[in-house]
Amino acid sequence: MSTTADAIRAADAHSAHNYHPLPLVVASAEGTWMTDVEGRRYLDMLAGYSALNFGHGNRRLIDAARAQLERVTLTSRAFHHDRFADFCTELAALCGKEMVLPMNTGAEAVETAVKTARKWGYEVKGVPDGHAKIVVAADNFHGRTTTIVSFSTDHEARDHFGPYTPGFEIVPYGDLTALAHAVTENTVAVLLEPIQGEAGVLVPPAGYLSGVRELTRERNVLFMADEIQSGLGRTGRTFACEHEGVVPDVYILGKALGGGVVPVSAVVADRDVLGVFRPGEHGSTFGGNPLACAVALEVIAMLRTGEFQGRATELGEHLHRELNLLVGGGAVTAVRGRGLWAGVDIDPSRGTGREISEKLMELGVLVKDTHGSTIRIAPPLVISKEDLDWGLAQLRSVLGA
Ligand SMILES: *Cc1c(COP(=O)(O)O)cnc(C)c1O
């Protein structure tokens, strides 16, 4: 019996089956490559859904983590620690905002944004208590908590987890008219992904984000951009909103902010928004801990160089040029995305997204399917052009293209 089969059987026996992983067991990873328990190597073209934008075992990030591990790792927010102010100052500056509220996971940051918008609505905008509404988009993915799945349109994510949290209005993504109709005097926020990742890397029509910006400003509603997956370099800019010259009121960040080392998330906004919180009204034991701050500070410093955004732009153009050559050839029906991020719709005659992902794995390339016949490609931004080309060659081979 193989080591891989044994490990998978043990995992299946003793873990809840809330995931359906590809059948490999990773033992180590470096840069863009992972090695399994039997010594086989795989090119990582998923990058932990963008949590690994800077690659596995990134030297700068590991060194920053190791140095902090030796000093102090957790204080709780009961005390100040000496990395906290730098982290908040630097992250606020990266976002062009004034204040940061640190959490750990993406879902917690979204929850924090929801609470921020409601409190702002009652205390600043003057919405009657208990009547705040937040407008969201269909096919969204914002996380897995009971409140967040309450406004999901995905049956797998939502069904049998009720009763659901009220106060959310769902409109079609990319439809400004529908959004304008949904906004009332009790609307406190519009919450959107600037590019919908889980939905298949859906880029909204040109003018949508700037339209949302204009509408929310006119109607005194907060524009909250969930940049957890789209942000921090992935699309070729620090934030995907930048492609339309849009600055939202609230950035929701996660995934790559922790450099693939520790979970770090945050809500970032100006004082007139995040200033609504007073001591005791919100918090997290681990949020803003010294280790998280040390790693995130290094992530922010790396983003400040612009190097990773540049790589995503340049290699992204190459990736999309190559993928678009496959469209219409019978294997691929559509390609979407921006930067080093692509949703590839496979013609169902070539297999399901899952089948394609498994065949690619056998050739040493790791991607993940989403929604039936779509595969998602999001390699670490440190990938070399040679490795990217090799990965694309394996894709062409699997697709018979
Ligand atoms: C991954 C993701 C989340 C949730 O983040 P977790 O860390 O898994 O809780 C929220 N929004 C978007 C857009 C995401 O991609």
Side-chain angles (χ1 to χ4, degrees):
M1 221 5 86
S2 78
T3 321
T4 296
D6 284 344
I8 291 173
R9 195 171 309 105
D12 279 348
H14 300 291
S15 73
H17 296 179
N18 56 327
Y19 277 93
H20 182 29
L22 289 173
L24 79 155
V25 181
V26 177
S28 64
E30 195 180 342
T32 28
W33 290 86
M34 300 213 257
T35 304
D36 76 4
V37 286
E38 297 178 53
R40 287 181 293 244
R41 295 181 80 228
Y42 304 85
L43 182 66
D44 182 4
M45 301 254 287
L46 182 67
Y49 302 99
S50 283
L52 287 151
N53 279 3
F54 310 98
H56 297 272
N58 184 289
R59 260 306 113 206
R60 284 185 68 169
L61 298 176
I62 297 297
D63 287 348
R66 186 173 287 132
Q68 191 60 44
L69 278 169
E70 300 294 339
R71 290 179 56 220
V72 57
T73 52
L74 189 68
T75 55
S76 83
R77 293 287 304 279
F79 318 113
H80 289 274
H81 66 76
D82 66 1
R83 311 313 302 268
F84 188 71
D86 282 348
F87 164 69
C88 294
T89 307
E90 292 299 318
L91 185 58
L94 184 77
C95 298
K97 299 285 184 195
E98 294 169 344
M99 282 183 148
V100 169
L101 201 168
M103 299 294 286
N104 311 283
T105 65
E108 286 176 307
V110 172
E111 286 276 349
T112 301
V114 166
K115 288 173 78 173
T116 303
R118 287 178 170 183
K119 209 159 196 304
W120 174 87
Y122 301 131
E123 296 179 6
V124 179
K125 182 170 175 172
V127 171
D129 193 32
H131 287 76
K133 282 259 197 274
I134 295 175
V135 183
V136 299
D139 301 320
N140 68 70
F141 182 82
H142 295 290
R144 301 293 197 171
T145 66
T146 45
T147 286
I148 293 171
V149 302
S150 295
F151 56 87
S152 171
T153 57
D154 176 353
H155 287 288
E156 279 181 351
R158 187 177 196 274
D159 290 357
H160 291 174
F161 295 120
Y164 301 109
T165 306
F168 299 93
E169 204 74 54
I170 303 169
V171 296
Y173 188 64
D175 184 342
L176 269 178
T177 313
L179 182 66
H181 283 301
V183 169
T184 70
E185 65 270 27
N186 288 342
T187 305
V188 295
V190 173
L191 168 64
L192 294 173
E193 299 155 83
I195 292 176
Q196 287 190 326
E198 203 67 22
V201 196
L202 240 75
V203 181
Y208 179 62
L209 296 176
S210 50
V212 173
R213 177 65 286 185
E214 215 170 298
L215 177 81
T216 47
R217 188 176 285 125
E218 273 169 15
R219 307 284 285 272
N220 194 23
V221 166
L222 299 177
F223 180 5
M224 307 201 294
D226 179 346
E227 292 256 18
I228 290 169
Q229 194 167 157
S230 59
L232 309 185
R234 174 58 53 192
T235 67
R237 304 286 173 86
T238 305
F239 303 108
C241 281
E242 286 176 51
H243 291 280
E244 284 207 15
V246 161
V247 178
D249 298 297
V250 176
Y251 286 106
I252 306 169
L253 304 176
K255 291 203 166 99
L257 189 56
V261 180
V262 283
V264 186
S265 69
V267 171
V268 187
D270 279 335
R271 194 173 311 279
D272 58 347
V273 177
L274 270 178
V276 297
F277 286 109
R278 286 171 293 270
E281 293 175 346
H282 188 59
S284 162
T285 303
F286 287 92
N289 69 73
L291 183 60
C293 289
V295 173
L297 268 166
E298 207 58 33
V299 165
I300 296 162
M302 286 161 72
L303 285 168
R304 285 285 190 154
T305 67
E307 177 193 338
F308 299 91
Q309 296 89 327
R311 294 189 68 84
T313 299
E314 211 167 294
L315 292 169
E317 274 166 20
H318 180 65
L319 171 71
H320 283 277
R321 201 180 311 120
E322 293 294 312
L323 288 174
N324 276 302
L325 290 174
L326 302 175
V327 180
V332 170
T333 55
V335 176
R336 294 171 302 275
R338 241 179 200 145
L340 270 177
W341 199 17
V344 181
D345 292 345
I346 308 294
D347 190 283
S349 68
R350 307 292 166 118
T352 62
R354 174 74 187 193
E355 286 163 349
I356 300 294
S357 302
E358 285 181 358
K359 285 186 191 157
L360 272 171
M361 186 199 90
E362 279 158 27
L363 295 182
V365 175
L366 299 177
V367 298
K368 195 73 171 67
D369 54 301
T370 178
H371 297 289
S373 60
T374 301
I375 57 168
R376 189 168 9 182
I377 297 180
L381 309 183
V382 296
I383 193 170
S384 68
K385 181 158 181 296
E386 292 68 35
D387 284 346
L388 184 60
D389 279 332
W390 183 80
L392 285 165
Q394 309 316 305
L395 178 65
R396 281 192 291 271
S397 145
V398 160
L399 294 174

